[in-house]
Amino acid sequence: MLTTWLGDIGRERFFADHFQQAPFAQPATARSAIPFLRWRTIEAVMASGADMLVVRDAKLRREPSPENFYDALALFNDGWSLVFRRCEKHEPGLRALADSFAAELEGDVSIQLYLTPANHHSFSWHYDCEDVFIAQTGGVKEYYLRRNTVNPEPTLDAMPKDMHYEQETTPTIASTLITGDCLYIPRGWWHVARALEDSLSISVGVLSPAAATRKGAQLAASSAPNRQP
């Protein structure tokens, strides 16, 4: 699946020029991911008990999560984003998607689902320890990204509560995804996304061994001959 999403750039050029270095977007290469996230997928992962966050414009909803799909849909229609985590544990198709990435990249692969209402965003500016591959499966979403000079190589065991975004000085770049498009966000890059219309997207996170712990990062830096996995 990764090779398909990369399109004509190919694996060799991707790992040389982009992997853990710079964002990368491709139009229409993730069309095969569209069936993995439809509204019926949300019904399935909810019924299976997937971990869920409800957030609107960087404000996390503190009330208990909705117990059924129709209550969740009502919140979505009221401007709340629905975020489902580790969905590979709750739906066979998403498990297969995670396995396909695990076959091509070293690390722990997790699947997150984002449902974002038009004219809203979920989380504010932040960065992740994972390398993130996004497939837009419905609607339009605009991503803003910045290179991270505050904490450029974060590890899972040392993620700060305050990321100090206000200290960042790098320029902002933007990428607009429509249905079927793919975006790669390297580990550590700042990003925030706003839906231009009701949006459904799949986020495939790959936590490399070097990003899991500070010790692992030190070992990787001292022993790895290049950036390729």
Side-chain angles (χ1 to χ4, degrees):
M1 187 67 71
L2 171 61
T3 302
T4 300
W5 289 15
L6 294 179
D8 57 9
I9 191 175
R11 288 175 54 87
E12 183 175 351
R13 182 179 168 191
F14 171 74
F15 285 113
D17 297 343
H18 293 278
F19 187 65
Q20 296 190 341
Q21 299 172 72
F24 168 78
Q26 279 281 57
T29 57
R31 287 175 178 169
S32 59
I34 294 173
F36 288 106
L37 177 54
R38 301 186 187 276
W39 284 104
R40 62 175 178 268
T41 313
I42 301 306
E43 290 189 81
V45 298
M46 286 193 68
S48 182
D51 183 33
M52 178 182 184
L53 298 176
V54 181
V55 60
R56 179 169 59 193
D57 301 334
K59 180 182 179 181
L60 188 67
R61 185 175 183 268
R62 298 299 181 181
E63 292 82 354
S65 296
E67 296 183 355
N68 61 68
F69 171 76
Y70 296 101
D71 289 343
L73 184 59
L75 287 172
F76 179 86
N77 290 332
D78 193 35
W80 291 91
S81 295
L82 310 177
V83 182
F84 297 87
R85 301 186 292 186
R86 303 290 329 199
C87 292
E88 75 283 357
K89 298 180 179 180
H90 298 276
E91 204 279 327
L94 297 174
R95 175 71 264 170
L97 178 62
D99 289 344
S100 71
F101 271 80
E104 298 195 66
L105 292 169
E106 183 182 13
D108 177 41
V109 179
S110 61
I111 304 289
Q112 283 62 244
L113 306 179
Y114 286 81
L115 289 74
T116 311
N119 302 313
H120 288 280
H121 65 274
S122 52
F123 303 109
S124 59
W125 280 98
H126 67 285
Y127 56 81
D128 300 309
C129 295
E130 298 87 353
D131 290 280
V132 177
F133 299 83
I134 295 168
Q136 189 72 16
T137 69
V140 180
K141 202 170 190 180
E142 188 164 35
Y143 286 81
Y144 298 92
L145 307 101
R146 301 179 73 176
R147 182 180 295 277
N148 186 347
T149 60
V150 178
N151 185 16
E153 295 185 343
T155 57
L156 188 62
D157 66 343
M159 282 290 281
K161 291 183 178 180
D162 185 349
M163 295 183 174
H164 292 292
Y165 173 71
E166 74 282 355
Q167 297 180 10
E168 192 55 75
T169 60
T170 56
T172 301
I173 60 177
S175 180
T176 301
L177 302 188
I178 65 174
T179 301
D181 289 353
C182 168
L183 173 66
Y184 165 68
I185 304 175
R187 165 195 174 196
W189 270 67
W190 297 102
H191 56 280
V192 68
R194 183 175 180 83
L196 303 184
E197 58 186 49
D198 288 353
S199 166
L200 284 73
S201 54
I202 298 173
S203 172
V204 181
V206 183
L207 181 68
S208 66
T213 66
R214 284 173 289 185
K215 182 177 180 180
Q218 293 167 356
L219 290 172
S222 64
S223 62
N226 55 53
R227 288 182 171 268
Q228 296 194 27

